[in-house]
Amino acid sequence: MVLSGPLGSSLAPAILKSRGIYRWFKPLADWYVDLQGYRKVGYKYDDLILEERDDVQRALARLTPREAYDRQYRLKRASQCSVLHDVLPKDQWTKPQEDVRYLTPHVEDVEKEALERSAWDNMVVSRK
Amino acid sequence: MLASRSSAARSASRIVRNFATVVDTAGVKVAAVDNGEPTSAVTFLVKAGSRFESKPGVAHALKGFAFKSTEKRSFLGTIREAELYGGVLSTSLTREHLALSAEFLRGDEPFFVDVISSFIKSAKYTRHELDEYVVPVCEAESTTAFSDPALRALDLAHLIAFRTGLGASPFTSPGTHVSVEDVKAYAQTVFTPGNLAVLGTGIDAATLQKLVEQSLGSLSSASAPVTSPSSYFGGETRIEAHGAPETIFIGLGTTGAPSAELAVLSAHLDPTPSVKWSKGTSPLAASIPEGISVKTVLLPYSDAALYGILIQGESTEGVKAAGKAAVAALKASGDLKGDDLKKAVAKAKFAAASALDGRDNVVFALGAQAFGSPAALDSTISNLDSVNASAFSKATTSFLKAKPTYVAIGDIKRLPYADELGL
């Protein structure tokens, strides 16, 4: 169970339901995302997912070769930024429209499969 | 004795006639027979064998996708639920057909028909299932199949004999890449009502028809894949292999529906003895060296047939001697007459009738009938009965004129070439 980060519990679905609240929250969310600074080193939000977990490893194996390559590139580029104690030139920052959740759906699928498996493993059969 | 044998064959054919009513349900052909078995089996036979495939390996991958996740239930759910019902799900792929089968206890048919039809209608074909389950299984199946020199020889023989169409192997050759989109596109073309037959054993025909109508009623009727009629070429190939028996295959092929004369020729040359620990009375049996196995192979398809003799043994000399004997026997079989012909006809009739023993064979006989092939047992038997010496000699002579298909697998420096055997 992850408490924070991209896989943690989120209020976003509840906020997205109401247009009014969404409109109120959107500038605040944009400001906060910008403040986090991951886009300035070329990351996408899903690159921040902790990958030392079995379910995430399984999800990573489901990326297309292109997605996996791009992810490795971003990780290396950000590591280099960390070494240099600097951010990327502004034209290389991740644009908001590029910041898509490319990994979370796969992690959710893997989690759903694990839940289903445990449900089947622990079910009690009763005669109708 | 002959009389009693033919009456047995006749009653066997009567059973076939009883169940073989093929009904069109929602465009799908449905046939069922209930002989009071304790379990039921339903097979969805699809004309989706490797001869129809658009890209090498697609048919094999489609077979691997069977019973994976669909819109209705997940991969795991399908397996666990089938286990709870106590059923067995299986698939098999030939050059012409893909068979999706379920065997289960009587009364569970709604679930199992739904499992198979939901695969046909709404399989998801996800990329991760292809990578995680389908491709490894396909590779393992192909590796196992191709490590058997007999299977490899037959596979190569098909390729040489028919080149395209029937030449396509039902096993993925190493290094072929199939994508999910390929499989999806192939599935869309083959899973059409006209391409599909639902065959049941141990199940009431009306029940099955109702279930099929419910589950496959809305199946889209796109155009089925077109295949050009087979033509026979023939040729020779040699493949180096070690650690397996030295193998040669001497084959001949024809096009058109498989004839009764070919079945008689196969029965005549088949060296398998009818009595254990004896030598058969086939002309081949006497001249086979010790330790060499000789098998006749007759592979009939809807519009062609491949007949051949498969010879395997540890020593290349023995294989060569057996090969020479086989070619001599094959060439001499044209002037078969009298009691020898009667014996061969009787053997072929028994083989045709006993091919209906067992559930799988009944299903394939039903399937052939559903797809409009004239392979009903009674007509097969009467065709065999009408084989006479002159017709047999004429058919065999023209058959033997075709260019032979020759495959050698093993120590290719020592194994004989086709011309050395007298082909």
Side-chain angles (χ1 to χ4, degrees):
Chain A
M1 183 65 208
V2 185
L3 290 177
S4 64
L7 291 181
S9 52
S10 163
L11 287 173
I15 291 172
L16 281 172
K17 263 183 206 158
S18 155
R19 265 198 88 74
I21 303 179
Y22 171 75
R23 245 187 316 202
W24 191 81
F25 253 96
K26 183 71 175 130
L28 192 68
D30 287 342
W31 169 78
Y32 179 63
V33 166
D34 199 47
L35 189 69
Q36 283 180 311
Y38 66 86
R39 286 182 183 169
K40 293 178 187 165
V41 290
Y43 272 142
K44 292 182 180 182
Y45 191 44
D46 274 359
D47 294 335
L48 308 182
I49 295 177
L50 192 72
E51 68 168 81
E52 287 82 5
R53 291 158 47 114
D54 287 346
D55 53 353
V56 178
Q57 283 299 319
R58 209 174 160 83
L60 283 174
R62 295 184 181 184
L63 295 177
T64 60
R66 178 65 203 235
E67 280 171 345
Y69 180 90
D70 285 354
R71 176 188 158 85
Q72 282 309 318
Y73 175 70
R74 288 192 302 272
L75 293 183
K76 284 208 163 163
R77 191 171 53 170
S79 306
Q80 177 67 4
C81 287
S82 170
V83 170
L84 298 176
H85 296 283
D86 200 0
V87 294
L88 291 170
K90 198 164 183 183
D91 58 315
Q92 291 181 33
W93 292 4
T94 308
K95 292 173 193 68
Q97 67 272 19
E98 285 173 0
D99 192 1
V100 288
R101 308 292 288 267
Y102 69 96
L103 185 59
T104 311
H106 291 299
V107 181
E108 279 164 358
D109 279 352
V110 170
E111 203 176 354
K112 225 184 280 169
E113 281 164 30
L115 284 175
E116 196 196 352
R117 183 174 288 273
S118 77
W120 280 109
D121 283 348
N122 298 305
M123 95 190 138
V124 179
V125 185
S126 63
R127 192 169 282 278
K128 263 193 257 181
Chain B
M1 205 175 123
L2 263 176
S4 69
R5 207 182 295 161
S6 66
S7 81
R10 229 173 291 131
S11 67
S13 63
R14 203 166 301 128
I15 297 168
V16 179
R17 251 196 312 273
N18 284 346
F19 64 62
T21 32
V22 179
V23 183
D24 243 24
T25 311
V28 178
K29 296 170 201 78
V30 179
V33 55
D34 192 351
N35 289 338
E37 297 99 328
T39 60
S40 308
V42 170
T43 296
F44 282 52
L45 201 63
V46 193
K47 272 205 236 170
S50 51
R51 74 176 291 183
F52 301 106
E53 69 190 5
S54 47
K55 196 179 163 187
V58 172
H60 197 189
L62 181 62
K63 176 201 159 197
F65 261 114
F67 311 122
K68 299 286 181 295
S69 62
T70 65
E71 299 295 340
K72 269 198 171 165
R73 44 178 89 73
S74 68
F75 174 30
L76 185 75
T78 308
I79 296 171
R80 291 292 168 94
E81 226 171 322
E83 280 174 355
L84 282 178
Y85 280 105
V88 179
L89 301 169
S90 60
T91 51
S92 75
L93 181 70
T94 62
R95 275 162 210 279
E96 296 200 303
H97 296 125
L98 168 67
L100 308 156
S101 314
E103 285 174 63
F104 44 87
L105 294 169
R106 274 170 183 270
D108 292 341
E109 55 269 6
F111 170 73
F112 285 96
V113 170
D114 187 57
V115 163
I116 305 180
S117 56
S118 73
F119 165 62
I120 284 177
K121 254 169 59 179
S122 64
K124 279 186 180 159
Y125 305 110
T126 55
R127 201 164 39 78
H128 71 268
E129 279 174 335
L130 181 75
D131 295 337
E132 290 172 19
Y133 308 110
V134 178
V135 168
V137 169
C138 284
E139 275 175 7
E141 280 179 346
S142 307
T143 313
T144 318
F146 289 142
S147 64
D148 177 2
L151 265 176
R152 188 142 176 67
L154 284 178
D155 204 67
L156 280 168
H158 276 89
L159 186 64
I160 296 170
F162 302 110
R163 298 191 186 173
T164 53
L166 283 174
S169 168
F171 295 105
T172 319
S173 40
T176 35
H177 177 74
V178 173
S179 73
V180 182
E181 285 72 33
D182 298 332
V183 181
K184 215 183 271 179
Y186 182 58
Q188 260 166 9
T189 57
V190 294
F191 290 151
T192 53
N195 226 8
L196 198 66
V198 181
L199 316 160
T201 51
I203 184 171
D204 179 40
T207 318
L208 187 61
Q209 280 159 29
K210 214 178 98 210
L211 286 171
V212 169
E213 197 162 3
Q214 275 170 7
S215 56
L216 289 182
S218 56
L219 196 64
S220 75
S221 51
S223 56
V226 280
T227 172
S228 47
S230 303
S231 43
Y232 176 75
F233 296 93
E236 179 176 357
T237 192
R238 308 165 70 73
I239 300 281
E240 180 95 48
H242 297 286
E246 310 290 336
T247 305
I248 61 171
F249 176 78
I250 303 158
L252 285 161
T254 55
T255 50
S259 67
E261 283 82 7
L262 207 52
V264 174
L265 175 68
S266 173
H268 169 59
L269 290 179
D270 186 9
T272 320
S274 305
V275 182
K276 218 176 173 184
W277 310 121
S278 72
K279 274 197 170 175
T281 52
S282 137
L284 210 56
S287 43
I288 299 171
E290 208 57 41
I292 304 292
S293 110
V294 177
K295 281 181 210 139
T296 53
V297 185
L298 175 58
L299 298 162
Y301 296 102
S302 59
D303 64 346
L306 185 67
Y307 171 71
I309 300 171
L310 186 74
I311 301 169
Q312 289 188 291
E314 290 305 324
S315 79
T316 46
E317 291 77 27
V319 168
K320 188 172 181 177
K324 273 184 178 163
V327 171
L330 200 60
K331 291 214 162 148
S333 59
D335 40 299
L336 183 67
K337 51 174 99 58
D339 279 350
D340 280 343
L341 182 65
K342 269 188 204 152
K343 198 173 70 186
V345 168
K347 204 171 170 181
K349 263 157 67 178
F350 175 75
S354 69
L356 278 180
D357 276 352
R359 181 166 257 169
D360 292 350
N361 296 329
V362 170
V363 164
F364 274 99
L366 266 179
Q369 210 152 4
F371 284 130
S373 144
L377 179 66
D378 32 4
S379 68
T380 311
I381 299 277
S382 64
N383 283 348
L384 283 170
D385 272 329
S386 63
V387 170
N388 58 34
S390 67
F392 179 77
S393 140
K394 206 174 132 198
T396 312
T397 323
S398 74
F399 176 65
L400 291 174
K401 260 188 213 143
K403 188 180 173 191
T405 300
Y406 178 77
V407 181
I409 292 180
D411 185 356
I412 48 172
K413 289 178 198 74
R414 295 216 199 123
L415 278 174
Y417 286 82
D419 48 17
E420 289 172 9
L421 296 178
L423 275 171

